[in-house]
Amino acid sequence: MNANQPESREPGESRELRRITDVGTLKAFGHPLRLKIYSTLRVAGPSTASQLAGQVDEAVSLVSYHLRKLAEHGLIEEAQTQSEDARERWWQAAQETLSFRHEDFKDTPEGAAAHTAVVRTLIAQREEQYETYLAQQEAWGAEWRKAADQSDFLARLNPAELTRLNAEIHALIKTYEAQGKAAEAAGDTEGRENVAVHLASFPFRI
């Protein structure tokens, strides 16, 4: 498969969003190191295997292997060369946002297990990211420490209300993403950093 044409992208479909619906692609994406590589590409933008190897602390040969696997499933694609060395191969994420939902994998044991495994890996990596912030928070300074947040909320909702709540939260976050990109494009870069917003909403009983 051509890495520039993900098999689940329909003709005319936006490059901004891709929904994974097949188990093979989900498994390819869900490898812990591939998740780190993909996340790094999203944050850092176009990168070479050598650059990524330094950021994920792995051998270049191993990173190159996993880049090829991600490309085989259309999750990443070749990017324009960012240097004068034409021999260097540059990569970028093939879409702005990836999604995958339990409903697409629940009908087979393999699919359900793959979905659960990927979600657990993502949660573990998000916890690691937050732990890193906690370990380094003094270095960020008072302004960033005051701005950062860790909250817990409790609401009594039905499924339809929870769906609407999540949609409204996502839409709000998207407006801030767009504002930040527009400001940077206009040259307003002072004081801007990557900000992770992790959201989990689920029912529970006691």
Side-chain angles (χ1 to χ4, degrees):
M1 181 186 67
N2 188 324
N4 293 316
Q5 297 176 335
E7 59 185 359
S8 65
R9 188 183 298 161
E10 299 295 334
E13 183 180 354
S14 170
R15 181 185 179 277
E16 293 183 357
L17 173 64
R18 178 184 177 187
R19 178 171 171 177
I20 298 175
T21 57
D22 65 286
V23 177
T25 298
L26 184 63
K27 285 184 173 181
F29 177 64
H31 185 284
L33 181 53
R34 290 176 201 159
L35 283 173
K36 284 188 177 182
I37 291 170
Y38 185 86
S39 297
T40 302
L41 280 173
R42 282 190 63 213
V43 175
S47 305
T48 66
S50 296
Q51 292 171 336
L52 290 165
Q55 291 169 317
V56 301
D57 195 26
E58 294 288 352
V60 175
S61 58
L62 183 60
V63 170
S64 294
Y65 168 79
H66 287 297
L67 284 169
R68 290 194 298 272
K69 290 299 180 181
L70 289 168
E72 285 175 10
H73 290 270
L75 297 165
I76 65 172
E77 61 191 8
E78 288 194 58
Q80 280 191 324
T81 300
Q82 308 289 310
S83 69
E84 295 180 357
D85 188 349
R87 297 171 299 176
E88 289 185 320
R89 199 173 188 183
W90 291 75
W91 298 97
Q92 64 185 11
Q95 53 281 303
E96 292 289 333
T97 304
L98 276 175
S99 71
F100 48 93
R101 303 177 185 176
H102 176 261
E103 64 199 70
D104 293 321
F105 301 98
K106 63 181 176 59
D107 293 335
T108 66
E110 180 188 18
H115 180 270
T116 299
V118 174
V119 172
R120 284 177 171 161
T121 301
L122 281 170
I123 290 172
Q125 292 190 356
R126 289 168 184 166
E127 288 178 348
E128 180 183 359
Q129 187 179 45
Y130 188 60
E131 290 286 352
T132 299
Y133 164 72
L134 290 177
Q136 300 173 349
Q137 60 182 328
E138 290 302 319
W140 280 102
E143 192 172 12
W144 275 110
R145 289 197 302 271
K146 184 178 179 180
D149 180 61
Q150 174 65 28
S151 300
D152 181 28
F153 301 94
L154 175 63
R156 296 281 294 175
L157 306 175
N158 61 36
E161 291 167 341
L162 180 55
T163 299
R164 289 200 304 272
L165 172 63
N166 286 329
E168 290 173 14
I169 292 173
H170 291 189
L172 177 61
I173 294 171
K174 287 293 183 184
T175 64
Y176 276 89
E177 287 181 348
Q179 288 175 20
K181 288 180 180 178
E184 280 203 309
D188 178 9
T189 59
E190 183 68 26
R192 295 189 182 276
E193 300 284 353
N194 297 315
V195 173
V197 181
H198 299 160
L199 173 67
S201 58
F202 51 89
F204 71 97
R205 293 178 180 143
I206 55 174

